[in-house]
Amino acid sequence: MPLVDHHCHGVVPGDLDRRSFEGFITEGFEPAPEGGSHFDSPVGLAIRRWCAPVLELPPLASPDEYLTRRAELGAEEANRRFLRAAGLEALLVETGHLAAELLEPAAMGALAAAPAHRVTRLETVAEAVARQGVDAAAYPDAFAQALDEAAAGAVGLKTVIAYRGGFGLDPTRPSTGEVVDAAGRWLSKRGAPRLDDPVLLRHGIWTGADLARRRRVPLQIHAGYGDPDLTLHLVNPSLLTDLVRALGELGVTVVFLHCYPYHREAAYLAAVFPHVYFDVGLALHHTGPSAVRVLAEAMELAPFTKQLYSSDAYALAEFHYLGAVAFRRGLAAILDDWVRRAECSAADADRIAELLGRANAHRIYLSSG
Ligand SMILES: [Zn+2]
């Protein structure tokens, strides 16, 4: 079954030395402890087990053998192999983080031999507006206009408020006066300011919500697991319930990304709010041999019409492939078990796989035009 990877990032186009490669297989910022390696992890095992054969190595080849072979083939060939082997029907590429160092959606689509669509990150647009220079009074309109332009042709918007203080913020729409005051404080900072002001983050979400409603595109919200820029307990999607309610009243589709270890909370929100969707994203590759259990937990409660597949792959094409492998294998194991126990028919299982793997993503991103 071809998959729609509804949330991923570009890959690094060039060759990577061991240190850089290992830097990308952890969500942490630091090298492994003395004497160890980031391959000593569930995701390290998954790379050795599932990615090595794509490079014509035996399963569980050593990290040294793996990286030597990857270098021999070259990054471009390795990237192409993994993206082709992922078996994608379409991919949605978020371009908001270190875009200059990663391949653009069009190049990703060429590697994957599948259409690639863009998702625009709200905070990156706000930071670009600040860099270009704008008066505080003009900021609200300048941001709305810049977002409109940046998101031309995008199939979704994304917010990373998870990385900017978490979900404890006031969910209401700030007044123009509050936004201008906050913009005055923010824009007076030197250099290229990172958007971390709570009022401006809220303003970003609400401006994004207006655009999402007009264009009929979903708003993606990073939740749960990620790099140490976030504080894990503050990114439980349940903390955003009031915002979720308000976005529902506005008619905006919300997609919680990744969510681990709060995928059960996300599944609950998806079960009770008709406009809420979710995935387990990078948890599929980072949990390696346990990915099937994470996927099974996500499927305990969530309606089959509300869960999506994504790899959340970033920088390494291994992850675009590993996500697809873990998702297909996990889903097959779970559904086979359900069929074996006569909890569902083979036809039910096919339909569930179709919904999670591609049809839900088509419905919310690719069919409204
Ligand atoms: Zn991501």
Side-chain angles (χ1 to χ4, degrees):
M1 181 181 68
L3 299 175
V4 176
D5 186 345
H6 88 105
H7 171 67
C8 65
H9 304 263
V11 297
V12 177
D15 292 320
L16 294 166
D17 61 18
R18 174 144 190 176
R19 190 185 164 83
S20 317
F21 189 92
E22 287 212 18
F24 286 126
I25 67 174
T26 170
E27 285 289 299
F29 295 146
E30 304 297 331
E34 195 76 37
S37 151
H38 285 313
F39 274 97
D40 296 324
S41 63
V43 66
L45 278 181
I47 290 170
R48 292 173 47 221
R49 169 62 184 88
W50 299 104
C51 297
V54 178
L55 307 187
E56 293 145 11
L57 294 170
L60 298 173
S62 74
D64 279 339
E65 288 171 310
Y66 184 84
L67 292 171
T68 302
R69 177 63 181 153
R70 194 184 201 271
E72 228 170 71
L73 287 169
E76 194 181 335
E77 174 63 16
N79 289 341
R80 185 179 304 106
R81 286 189 186 197
F82 287 122
L83 277 154
R84 293 283 158 97
L88 302 177
E89 168 181 324
L91 56 168
L92 277 52
V93 183
E94 196 242 304
T95 51
H97 190 53
L98 299 179
E101 292 165 37
L102 304 173
L103 287 185
E104 283 279 296
M108 291 297 294
L111 285 175
H117 306 272
R118 182 183 300 271
V119 171
T120 301
R121 187 186 286 204
L122 302 174
E123 291 79 11
T124 306
V125 174
E127 286 160 358
V129 169
R131 273 199 309 278
Q132 281 155 19
V134 60
D135 288 344
Y139 175 80
D141 285 344
F143 173 67
Q145 195 187 335
L147 183 61
D148 210 73
E149 287 163 14
V155 297
L157 304 174
K158 180 186 174 193
T159 175
V160 289
I161 54 166
Y163 285 107
R164 310 293 168 95
F167 295 163
L169 80 184
D170 173 356
T172 59
R173 187 192 290 262
S175 69
T176 304
E178 286 175 284
V179 174
V180 170
D181 285 351
R185 291 191 298 273
W186 183 51
L187 295 168
S188 67
K189 291 182 183 173
R190 286 170 176 282
R194 175 178 157 94
L195 184 67
D196 53 8
D197 179 278
V199 172
L200 297 182
L201 289 165
R202 281 160 60 206
H203 173 250
I205 288 177
W206 283 101
T207 308
D210 290 339
L211 185 65
R213 184 182 57 164
R214 277 204 313 279
R215 299 247 184 104
R216 304 174 63 84
V217 297
L219 174 64
Q220 300 177 337
I221 303 178
H222 175 109
Y225 188 64
D227 69 43
D229 258 359
L230 59 74
T231 299
L232 191 58
H233 70 278
L234 297 179
V235 297
N236 182 330
S238 174
L239 293 170
L240 280 190
T241 304
D242 286 340
L243 180 69
V244 162
R245 288 193 183 100
L247 292 174
E249 282 164 20
L250 203 62
V252 174
T253 296
V254 173
V255 186
F256 283 109
L257 301 177
H258 328 328
C259 306
Y260 181 87
Y262 307 115
H263 45 292
R264 282 172 158 151
E265 282 86 338
Y268 162 75
L269 294 171
V272 298
F273 292 108
H275 62 296
V276 173
Y277 294 75
F278 80 113
D279 69 31
V280 292
L282 76 173
L284 288 170
H285 60 258
H286 276 286
T287 59
S290 303
V292 61
R293 200 161 62 226
V294 172
L295 191 59
E297 286 170 358
M299 291 174 66
E300 286 166 349
L301 185 67
F304 308 126
T305 49
K306 307 300 286 299
Q307 192 175 343
L308 302 169
Y309 165 67
S310 89
S311 66
D312 191 26
Y314 178 87
L316 301 181
E318 275 85 348
F319 293 157
H320 295 83
Y321 174 65
L322 274 182
V325 169
F327 182 79
R328 285 198 179 91
R329 292 185 70 246
L331 197 59
I334 293 160
L335 294 174
D336 285 351
D337 177 56
W338 290 6
V339 170
R340 191 177 47 73
R341 291 191 283 122
E343 301 278 3
C344 74
S345 70
D348 290 326
D350 287 347
R351 175 169 155 71
I352 293 167
E354 165 84 7
L355 287 168
L356 269 62
R358 57 181 297 281
N360 293 337
H362 265 280
R363 196 172 68 249
I364 68 170
Y365 293 104
L366 302 176
S367 65
S368 62

